[in-house]
């Protein structure tokens, strides 16, 4: 099936209030252009270099989402144009994003990536680290980031109940944080969860951003990426 049809099929099943990020990592710019021509404007990449390269050659009204692990030394390459960084998982990284945002006078939208999987291997903050990061005296330093919500990845498993439980845990945390006294540059409005194998469950559990690659662009030649 062509990209356009796949996009239409997925969009038809999206819950109201949930937006689709087309994860184009490892796929060429032409594939992104095809999705763009079918009306898609939100794209997700997990590598800085690849995202910058595509940004340079593709239409400028694309919203680029960085969804993969981000190293502090690469932040500066994306702060001028990135729409949302989903993968902020340390104070050190958030400080660097703030520093680079300040340099170019741009407030950079971010999500805090939470560790929700029962697997050991995934990146992300635990609840204690999150609450620590959101402490008022620390937040005062962040003049050029806007924390817009949370992101999480469920365990890679066929166990639907486990996946649902992990997403539900994230949604509960999201609602809990919403009730805290927060400064205006922390708003809990986006909950990024769900990919090809589990986005249906993620939507049922309250996702506002699903990140879908394989179901749109087909298998990647490097499946681990
Ligand atoms: C690759 C990736 C996705 C998309 O995965 P698919 O299974 O191809 O839909 C979503 N989120 C993150 C963080 C990814 O790295």
């Amino acid at each position: 099936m062509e990209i356009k049809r796949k996009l239409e099929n997925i969009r038809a099943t999206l819950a109201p209030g949930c937006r689709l990020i087309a994860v184009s990592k490892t796929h060429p710019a032409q594939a992104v252009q095809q999705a763009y021509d079918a009306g898609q404007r939100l794209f997700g990449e997990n590598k800085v270099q690849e995202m910058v390269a595509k940004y340079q050659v593709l239409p400028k009204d694309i919203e680029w989402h960085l969804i993969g692990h981000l190293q502090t030394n690469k932040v500066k390459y994306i702060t001028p144009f990135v729409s949302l960084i989903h993968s902020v998982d340390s104070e050190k990284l958030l400080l660097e994003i703030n520093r680079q945002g300040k340099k170019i006078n741009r407030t950079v939208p971010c999500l805090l990536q939470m560790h929700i999987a029962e697997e050991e291997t995934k990146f992300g903050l635990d609840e204690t680290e999150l609450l620590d990061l959101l402490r008022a005296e620390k937040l005062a330093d962040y003049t050029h980031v806007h924390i817009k919500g949370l992101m999480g990845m469920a365990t890679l498993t066929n166990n639907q109940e486990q996946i649902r439980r992990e997403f539900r845990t994230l949604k509960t945390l999201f609602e809990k944080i919403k009730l805290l006294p927060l400064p205006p540059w922390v708003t809990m409005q986006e909950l990024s969860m769900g990919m090809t194998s589990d986005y249906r469950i993620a939507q049922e559990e309250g996702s506002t951003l699903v990140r879908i690659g394989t179901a749109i662009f087909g298998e990647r030649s490097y499946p681990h990426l």
Side-chain angles (χ1 to χ4, degrees):
M1 221 190 323
E2 50 171 335
I3 287 173
K4 185 173 189 287
R5 287 281 310 286
K6 289 180 180 169
L7 274 170
E8 284 165 0
N9 289 346
I10 294 168
R11 283 201 202 108
T13 69
L14 277 194
C18 188
R19 291 185 298 156
L20 169 63
I21 299 174
V23 177
S24 46
K25 63 188 187 190
T26 78
H27 297 287
Q30 298 94 287
V32 178
Q33 184 68 51
Q34 276 182 47
Y36 179 92
D37 293 340
Q40 183 65 29
R41 293 293 180 271
L42 276 57
F43 291 90
E45 289 285 336
N46 70 333
K47 293 221 161 21
V48 165
Q49 224 176 341
E50 190 175 345
M51 189 166 97
V52 170
K54 285 175 180 163
Y55 165 74
Q56 286 168 347
V57 299
L58 285 159
K60 287 297 176 281
D61 61 341
I62 286 179
E63 285 189 27
W64 292 102
H65 292 242
L66 199 280
I67 61 173
H69 184 66
L70 177 58
Q71 290 170 284
T72 47
N73 62 342
K74 300 205 170 145
V75 170
K76 58 178 176 288
Y77 302 114
I78 61 168
T79 40
F81 71 91
V82 68
S83 280
L84 187 61
I85 301 175
H86 291 229
S87 45
V88 178
D89 60 356
S90 73
E91 191 173 341
K92 183 173 158 234
L93 180 57
L94 194 60
L95 280 168
E96 175 60 11
I97 296 169
N98 185 68
R99 199 172 75 87
Q100 294 298 337
K102 196 170 185 172
K103 266 192 191 171
I104 58 169
N105 195 26
R106 176 169 191 248
T107 299
V108 184
C110 297
L111 303 180
L112 298 174
Q113 181 173 355
M114 301 305 301
H115 183 275
I116 53 166
E118 289 166 17
E119 288 172 321
E120 283 292 321
T121 51
K122 300 264 160 70
F123 294 105
L125 304 160
D126 63 28
E127 187 172 343
T128 312
E129 291 167 326
L130 173 69
L131 293 173
D132 183 53
L133 201 62
L134 293 178
R135 283 215 318 269
E137 66 273 22
K138 281 195 177 155
L139 286 173
D141 297 337
Y142 299 120
T143 52
H144 288 77
V145 291
H146 180 179
I147 299 171
K148 299 182 85 170
L150 306 177
M151 180 270 223
M153 290 172 84
T155 302
L156 220 54
T157 171
N158 289 324
N159 184 338
Q160 310 285 297
E161 280 318 304
Q162 181 180 349
I163 293 169
R164 188 178 295 283
R165 195 163 65 233
E166 292 173 359
F167 285 149
R168 194 165 289 180
T169 302
L170 185 58
K171 168 72 170 172
T172 305
L173 182 62
F174 177 81
E175 294 300 334
K176 179 175 163 182
I177 302 299
K178 241 188 207 176
L179 297 176
L180 298 178
L182 299 166
W185 55 94
V186 183
T187 53
M188 286 292 127
Q189 57 192 109
E190 300 290 0
L191 186 55
S192 167
M193 57 185 198
M195 32 207 274
T196 294
S197 58
D198 57 20
Y199 76 90
R200 291 170 193 84
I201 304 177
Q203 286 198 84
E204 287 167 11
E205 297 302 327
S207 174
T208 70
L209 289 169
V210 289
R211 312 175 307 266
I212 301 180
T214 310
I216 299 168
F217 298 106
E219 295 291 336
R220 291 178 288 274
S221 28
Y222 305 99
H224 60 283
L225 287 177

